Amino acid sequence: QRTIRTAELEGEPAYTHLQAGRQLASLGEWVLAGEAFRQAVLARPDYAEAWALLGEARQQVGDDAGQALADLEQALALKPDSALVSGLLALYWERQGELEKRIACLAAAAAAEPESPTWQAEWGRALALGGDLHAAQEHYEAAVQLAPQDVAYLRLLAEFSLRYDLDVEHIALTAARRALEDQPDEAAVLHLLGEVYLSLGNDLMAERFLRRAIAAKPEYAPAWMHLGALYLHRGEGERGHSL
């Protein structure tokens, strides 16, 4: 209700419907959100973002994928330089398993918003899935450079290096250590560093950080799992299974 009241101050019904739809979508109410987006495009047929969000809503409720694509293409025709439109179209192609089209859309989104680390990270993820690991690394690193204070992108860089076993000692270890400097008591960061050391075969350091992660957050299951795997690897079966 607050969102609608604030949007109404703009005096633009289509904008009010769009903001109401976005708020409903954030609450998981995609049927109602879809109707709000439909009302937005009826009120203003040239509203690219509303067409794109209508296409996303159709997919969320299981409507015809062809109609969703038509909505997204209509949005792209209206506003080809919109990061939101290109990003939602990339999501559509991800669901369809069309990796090259997804990468092209993410490149367009990144070009539309060159200061956004989100698009760089998503572009990197897509390139990694396509096997272009060095290009993917460049985009993950670009995301870190765009948001040096956001630990989330350091974690994504480290996790990428671990997942693809790409220069773990330099990429993942460096990124995880930097993340730890900013969040020394965060269980997920401590666990990540433990994972890195586990990958590098440094059992002593791996155990130290996994135990610190558990101490920081006893219910953090991934740390327990990797600590158990470490004990099993060391031949301490009973100890590992007990975790």
Short mmCIF file of all heavy atoms in Angstrom, two decimals, residues 19-61:
data_model
loop_
_atom_site.label_atom_id
_atom_site.label_comp_id
_atom_site.label_asym_id
_atom_site.label_seq_id
_atom_site.Cartn_x
_atom_site.Cartn_y
_atom_site.Cartn_z
N GLN A 19 4.90 -0.39 -10.28
CA GLN A 19 5.48 -0.48 -8.95
C GLN A 19 4.68 -1.44 -8.05
O GLN A 19 5.27 -2.19 -7.26
CB GLN A 19 5.55 0.92 -8.32
CG GLN A 19 6.51 1.87 -9.01
CD GLN A 19 7.92 1.29 -9.10
OE1 GLN A 19 8.44 0.74 -8.15
NE2 GLN A 19 8.53 1.42 -10.27
N ALA A 20 3.37 -1.42 -8.21
CA ALA A 20 2.56 -2.37 -7.45
C ALA A 20 2.90 -3.80 -7.85
O ALA A 20 3.03 -4.70 -7.01
CB ALA A 20 1.07 -2.09 -7.68
N GLY A 21 3.07 -4.01 -9.16
CA GLY A 21 3.43 -5.34 -9.65
C GLY A 21 4.77 -5.81 -9.14
O GLY A 21 4.94 -6.98 -8.75
N ARG A 22 5.74 -4.91 -9.12
CA ARG A 22 7.07 -5.29 -8.63
C ARG A 22 7.02 -5.66 -7.15
O ARG A 22 7.69 -6.60 -6.71
CB ARG A 22 8.06 -4.15 -8.86
CG ARG A 22 8.30 -3.86 -10.34
CD ARG A 22 9.38 -2.84 -10.57
NE ARG A 22 10.71 -3.43 -10.44
CZ ARG A 22 11.80 -2.93 -10.98
NH1 ARG A 22 11.73 -1.81 -11.70
NH2 ARG A 22 12.96 -3.50 -10.81
N GLN A 23 6.24 -4.92 -6.40
CA GLN A 23 6.13 -5.23 -4.97
C GLN A 23 5.44 -6.58 -4.77
O GLN A 23 5.85 -7.38 -3.92
CB GLN A 23 5.35 -4.11 -4.26
CG GLN A 23 5.46 -4.15 -2.75
CD GLN A 23 6.87 -3.85 -2.26
OE1 GLN A 23 7.65 -3.20 -2.95
NE2 GLN A 23 7.22 -4.33 -1.09
N LEU A 24 4.38 -6.84 -5.54
CA LEU A 24 3.68 -8.13 -5.45
C LEU A 24 4.62 -9.27 -5.85
O LEU A 24 4.62 -10.34 -5.23
CB LEU A 24 2.44 -8.11 -6.34
CG LEU A 24 1.27 -7.27 -5.81
CD1 LEU A 24 0.29 -6.98 -6.94
CD2 LEU A 24 0.58 -7.99 -4.66
N ALA A 25 5.42 -9.04 -6.89
CA ALA A 25 6.37 -10.06 -7.33
C ALA A 25 7.38 -10.38 -6.24
O ALA A 25 7.74 -11.53 -6.01
CB ALA A 25 7.08 -9.60 -8.60
N SER A 26 7.83 -9.34 -5.53
CA SER A 26 8.81 -9.56 -4.46
C SER A 26 8.21 -10.38 -3.32
O SER A 26 8.94 -11.01 -2.56
CB SER A 26 9.30 -8.21 -3.91
OG SER A 26 8.31 -7.57 -3.14
N LEU A 27 6.88 -10.39 -3.23
CA LEU A 27 6.19 -11.19 -2.21
C LEU A 27 5.80 -12.57 -2.74
O LEU A 27 5.16 -13.35 -2.03
CB LEU A 27 4.93 -10.45 -1.74
CG LEU A 27 5.16 -9.10 -1.04
CD1 LEU A 27 3.84 -8.37 -0.84
CD2 LEU A 27 5.87 -9.31 0.29
N GLY A 28 6.16 -12.84 -3.99
CA GLY A 28 5.82 -14.14 -4.58
C GLY A 28 4.41 -14.22 -5.13
O GLY A 28 3.97 -15.30 -5.55
N GLU A 29 3.71 -13.09 -5.19
CA GLU A 29 2.33 -13.07 -5.70
C GLU A 29 2.36 -12.78 -7.20
O GLU A 29 1.97 -11.72 -7.68
CB GLU A 29 1.52 -12.01 -4.96
CG GLU A 29 1.36 -12.27 -3.47
CD GLU A 29 0.41 -13.42 -3.19
OE1 GLU A 29 -0.27 -13.88 -4.13
OE2 GLU A 29 0.34 -13.85 -2.03
N TRP A 30 2.79 -13.78 -7.97
CA TRP A 30 3.05 -13.56 -9.39
C TRP A 30 1.77 -13.44 -10.23
O TRP A 30 1.77 -12.77 -11.25
CB TRP A 30 3.95 -14.64 -9.94
CG TRP A 30 5.38 -14.40 -9.59
CD1 TRP A 30 6.10 -15.00 -8.60
CD2 TRP A 30 6.26 -13.47 -10.21
NE1 TRP A 30 7.37 -14.50 -8.57
CE2 TRP A 30 7.50 -13.57 -9.55
CE3 TRP A 30 6.13 -12.57 -11.27
CZ2 TRP A 30 8.60 -12.79 -9.91
CZ3 TRP A 30 7.22 -11.80 -11.63
CH2 TRP A 30 8.44 -11.90 -10.97
N VAL A 31 0.70 -14.08 -9.82
CA VAL A 31 -0.56 -13.94 -10.57
C VAL A 31 -1.04 -12.49 -10.51
O VAL A 31 -1.37 -11.87 -11.52
CB VAL A 31 -1.63 -14.90 -10.03
CG1 VAL A 31 -2.98 -14.63 -10.71
CG2 VAL A 31 -1.21 -16.35 -10.26
N LEU A 32 -1.06 -11.95 -9.29
CA LEU A 32 -1.47 -10.56 -9.12
C LEU A 32 -0.47 -9.60 -9.76
O LEU A 32 -0.86 -8.59 -10.36
CB LEU A 32 -1.62 -10.24 -7.63
CG LEU A 32 -2.77 -10.94 -6.90
CD1 LEU A 32 -2.69 -10.68 -5.41
CD2 LEU A 32 -4.11 -10.47 -7.46
N ALA A 33 0.81 -9.92 -9.65
CA ALA A 33 1.83 -9.08 -10.27
C ALA A 33 1.64 -9.04 -11.78
O ALA A 33 1.71 -7.97 -12.40
CB ALA A 33 3.22 -9.61 -9.93
N GLY A 34 1.36 -10.20 -12.37
CA GLY A 34 1.14 -10.25 -13.81
C GLY A 34 -0.02 -9.37 -14.24
O GLY A 34 0.04 -8.69 -15.27
N GLU A 35 -1.09 -9.38 -13.44
CA GLU A 35 -2.24 -8.53 -13.76
C GLU A 35 -1.88 -7.05 -13.65
O GLU A 35 -2.30 -6.23 -14.48
CB GLU A 35 -3.41 -8.85 -12.83
CG GLU A 35 -4.65 -8.01 -13.05
CD GLU A 35 -5.21 -8.12 -14.46
OE1 GLU A 35 -4.96 -9.14 -15.14
OE2 GLU A 35 -5.90 -7.17 -14.89
N ALA A 36 -1.07 -6.71 -12.66
CA ALA A 36 -0.63 -5.32 -12.53
C ALA A 36 0.21 -4.89 -13.73
O ALA A 36 0.04 -3.79 -14.26
CB ALA A 36 0.16 -5.15 -11.24
N PHE A 37 1.12 -5.77 -14.18
CA PHE A 37 1.94 -5.44 -15.34
C PHE A 37 1.07 -5.34 -16.60
O PHE A 37 1.33 -4.51 -17.48
CB PHE A 37 3.04 -6.48 -15.53
CG PHE A 37 4.00 -6.57 -14.37
CD1 PHE A 37 4.47 -7.80 -13.92
CD2 PHE A 37 4.45 -5.43 -13.74
CE1 PHE A 37 5.35 -7.89 -12.86
CE2 PHE A 37 5.35 -5.50 -12.66
CZ PHE A 37 5.79 -6.74 -12.23
N ARG A 38 0.05 -6.20 -16.70
CA ARG A 38 -0.85 -6.14 -17.86
C ARG A 38 -1.59 -4.80 -17.88
O ARG A 38 -1.75 -4.18 -18.94
CB ARG A 38 -1.84 -7.30 -17.81
CG ARG A 38 -2.66 -7.48 -19.09
CD ARG A 38 -3.59 -8.68 -18.96
NE ARG A 38 -4.69 -8.37 -18.08
CZ ARG A 38 -5.81 -7.74 -18.47
NH1 ARG A 38 -5.94 -7.33 -19.72
NH2 ARG A 38 -6.77 -7.51 -17.62
N GLN A 39 -2.03 -4.36 -16.71
CA GLN A 39 -2.70 -3.06 -16.63
C GLN A 39 -1.74 -1.93 -17.01
O GLN A 39 -2.15 -0.93 -17.61
CB GLN A 39 -3.24 -2.85 -15.21
CG GLN A 39 -4.39 -3.77 -14.82
CD GLN A 39 -5.62 -3.55 -15.68
OE1 GLN A 39 -5.89 -2.44 -16.13
NE2 GLN A 39 -6.37 -4.63 -15.91
N ALA A 40 -0.46 -2.10 -16.66
CA ALA A 40 0.53 -1.07 -16.99
C ALA A 40 0.69 -0.93 -18.51
O ALA A 40 0.74 0.19 -19.04
CB ALA A 40 1.86 -1.39 -16.34
N VAL A 41 0.77 -2.07 -19.22
CA VAL A 41 0.95 -1.97 -20.67
C VAL A 41 -0.33 -1.54 -21.37
O VAL A 41 -0.29 -0.91 -22.44
CB VAL A 41 1.47 -3.30 -21.27
CG1 VAL A 41 2.83 -3.66 -20.69
CG2 VAL A 41 0.49 -4.44 -21.08
N LEU A 42 -1.49 -1.84 -20.77
CA LEU A 42 -2.75 -1.34 -21.33
C LEU A 42 -2.82 0.18 -21.20
O LEU A 42 -3.29 0.87 -22.11
CB LEU A 42 -3.95 -1.98 -20.62
CG LEU A 42 -4.23 -3.45 -20.96
CD1 LEU A 42 -5.34 -4.00 -20.06
CD2 LEU A 42 -4.59 -3.61 -22.43
N ALA A 43 -2.34 0.68 -20.06
CA ALA A 43 -2.37 2.12 -19.84
C ALA A 43 -1.33 2.84 -20.70
O ALA A 43 -1.54 3.98 -21.12
CB ALA A 43 -2.13 2.43 -18.36
N ARG A 44 -0.20 2.14 -20.95
CA ARG A 44 0.87 2.77 -21.73
C ARG A 44 1.58 1.71 -22.57
O ARG A 44 2.52 1.06 -22.11
CB ARG A 44 1.86 3.47 -20.80
CG ARG A 44 2.46 4.73 -21.41
CD ARG A 44 3.47 5.36 -20.49
NE ARG A 44 4.82 4.89 -20.78
CZ ARG A 44 5.87 5.11 -19.99
NH1 ARG A 44 5.71 5.77 -18.85
NH2 ARG A 44 7.06 4.68 -20.32
N PRO A 45 1.11 1.49 -23.78
CA PRO A 45 1.65 0.41 -24.62
C PRO A 45 3.13 0.54 -24.96
O PRO A 45 3.73 -0.44 -25.41
CB PRO A 45 0.79 0.49 -25.88
CG PRO A 45 -0.47 1.16 -25.45
CD PRO A 45 -0.03 2.16 -24.41
N ASP A 46 3.72 1.72 -24.73
CA ASP A 46 5.14 1.89 -25.05
C ASP A 46 6.05 1.70 -23.83
O ASP A 46 7.22 2.04 -23.86
CB ASP A 46 5.40 3.28 -25.64
CG ASP A 46 5.09 4.39 -24.63
OD1 ASP A 46 4.39 4.12 -23.63
OD2 ASP A 46 5.57 5.53 -24.85
N TYR A 47 5.50 1.12 -22.78
CA TYR A 47 6.23 0.98 -21.51
C TYR A 47 7.06 -0.31 -21.56
O TYR A 47 6.59 -1.40 -21.22
CB TYR A 47 5.24 0.93 -20.35
CG TYR A 47 5.78 1.37 -19.01
CD1 TYR A 47 4.90 1.64 -17.96
CD2 TYR A 47 7.14 1.51 -18.76
CE1 TYR A 47 5.35 2.04 -16.71
CE2 TYR A 47 7.61 1.90 -17.53
CZ TYR A 47 6.71 2.17 -16.50
OH TYR A 47 7.17 2.57 -15.28
N ALA A 48 8.30 -0.20 -21.97
CA ALA A 48 9.15 -1.38 -22.20
C ALA A 48 9.33 -2.23 -20.95
O ALA A 48 9.23 -3.47 -21.00
CB ALA A 48 10.51 -0.93 -22.73
N GLU A 49 9.62 -1.58 -19.83
CA GLU A 49 9.86 -2.34 -18.59
C GLU A 49 8.63 -3.14 -18.18
O GLU A 49 8.75 -4.26 -17.68
CB GLU A 49 10.29 -1.39 -17.47
CG GLU A 49 11.69 -0.82 -17.61
CD GLU A 49 11.78 0.36 -18.57
OE1 GLU A 49 10.71 0.74 -19.13
OE2 GLU A 49 12.88 0.89 -18.76
N ALA A 50 7.44 -2.57 -18.40
CA ALA A 50 6.22 -3.28 -18.05
C ALA A 50 6.04 -4.52 -18.93
O ALA A 50 5.63 -5.59 -18.45
CB ALA A 50 5.01 -2.36 -18.18
N TRP A 51 6.34 -4.40 -20.23
CA TRP A 51 6.27 -5.56 -21.11
C TRP A 51 7.25 -6.65 -20.66
O TRP A 51 6.90 -7.85 -20.64
CB TRP A 51 6.60 -5.14 -22.55
CG TRP A 51 5.47 -4.49 -23.29
CD1 TRP A 51 5.37 -3.17 -23.63
CD2 TRP A 51 4.29 -5.12 -23.80
NE1 TRP A 51 4.19 -2.94 -24.30
CE2 TRP A 51 3.51 -4.11 -24.43
CE3 TRP A 51 3.81 -6.43 -23.77
CZ2 TRP A 51 2.30 -4.38 -25.04
CZ3 TRP A 51 2.59 -6.71 -24.37
CH2 TRP A 51 1.85 -5.70 -25.00
N ALA A 52 8.46 -6.24 -20.30
CA ALA A 52 9.47 -7.22 -19.89
C ALA A 52 9.04 -7.94 -18.60
O ALA A 52 9.17 -9.16 -18.48
CB ALA A 52 10.81 -6.53 -19.68
N LEU A 53 8.52 -7.19 -17.66
CA LEU A 53 8.09 -7.79 -16.40
C LEU A 53 6.84 -8.65 -16.59
O LEU A 53 6.67 -9.66 -15.89
CB LEU A 53 7.84 -6.69 -15.36
CG LEU A 53 9.13 -6.04 -14.84
CD1 LEU A 53 8.83 -4.72 -14.15
CD2 LEU A 53 9.85 -6.99 -13.88
N LEU A 54 5.99 -8.28 -17.53
CA LEU A 54 4.84 -9.12 -17.85
C LEU A 54 5.32 -10.47 -18.40
O LEU A 54 4.80 -11.53 -18.04
CB LEU A 54 3.94 -8.42 -18.87
CG LEU A 54 2.72 -9.20 -19.36
CD1 LEU A 54 1.82 -9.61 -18.20
CD2 LEU A 54 1.94 -8.39 -20.39
N GLY A 55 6.36 -10.42 -19.24
CA GLY A 55 6.93 -11.67 -19.76
C GLY A 55 7.50 -12.54 -18.65
O GLY A 55 7.33 -13.76 -18.66
N GLU A 56 8.15 -11.92 -17.68
CA GLU A 56 8.68 -12.67 -16.54
C GLU A 56 7.55 -13.26 -15.71
O GLU A 56 7.61 -14.43 -15.28
CB GLU A 56 9.55 -11.76 -15.68
CG GLU A 56 10.07 -12.40 -14.39
CD GLU A 56 10.98 -13.59 -14.62
OE1 GLU A 56 11.51 -13.76 -15.74
OE2 GLU A 56 11.17 -14.36 -13.66
N ALA A 57 6.49 -12.48 -15.50
CA ALA A 57 5.35 -12.98 -14.71
C ALA A 57 4.71 -14.18 -15.39
O ALA A 57 4.32 -15.16 -14.73
CB ALA A 57 4.33 -11.86 -14.51
N ARG A 58 4.59 -14.14 -16.70
CA ARG A 58 4.01 -15.28 -17.42
C ARG A 58 4.82 -16.56 -17.17
O ARG A 58 4.26 -17.64 -16.99
CB ARG A 58 3.97 -14.98 -18.92
CG ARG A 58 2.97 -13.93 -19.35
CD ARG A 58 2.88 -13.90 -20.87
NE ARG A 58 2.20 -12.72 -21.37
CZ ARG A 58 0.88 -12.55 -21.42
NH1 ARG A 58 0.08 -13.52 -20.96
NH2 ARG A 58 0.35 -11.45 -21.91
N GLN A 59 6.12 -16.42 -17.17
CA GLN A 59 6.96 -17.61 -16.92
C GLN A 59 6.82 -18.11 -15.49
O GLN A 59 6.79 -19.31 -15.24
CB GLN A 59 8.43 -17.26 -17.19
CG GLN A 59 8.72 -16.93 -18.65
CD GLN A 59 10.11 -16.38 -18.82
OE1 GLN A 59 11.08 -17.14 -18.88
NE2 GLN A 59 10.23 -15.06 -18.89
N GLN A 60 6.71 -17.19 -14.55
CA GLN A 60 6.62 -17.57 -13.15
C GLN A 60 5.35 -18.36 -12.85
O GLN A 60 5.35 -19.22 -11.96
CB GLN A 60 6.67 -16.32 -12.26
CG GLN A 60 8.02 -15.63 -12.22
CD GLN A 60 9.06 -16.40 -11.44
OE1 GLN A 60 8.74 -17.27 -10.63
NE2 GLN A 60 10.33 -16.08 -11.67
N VAL A 61 4.28 -18.08 -13.58
CA VAL A 61 3.00 -18.79 -13.32
C VAL A 61 2.79 -19.94 -14.30
O VAL A 61 1.73 -20.58 -14.29
CB VAL A 61 1.81 -17.82 -13.36
CG1 VAL A 61 1.96 -16.75 -12.30
CG2 VAL A 61 1.62 -17.19 -14.74
#
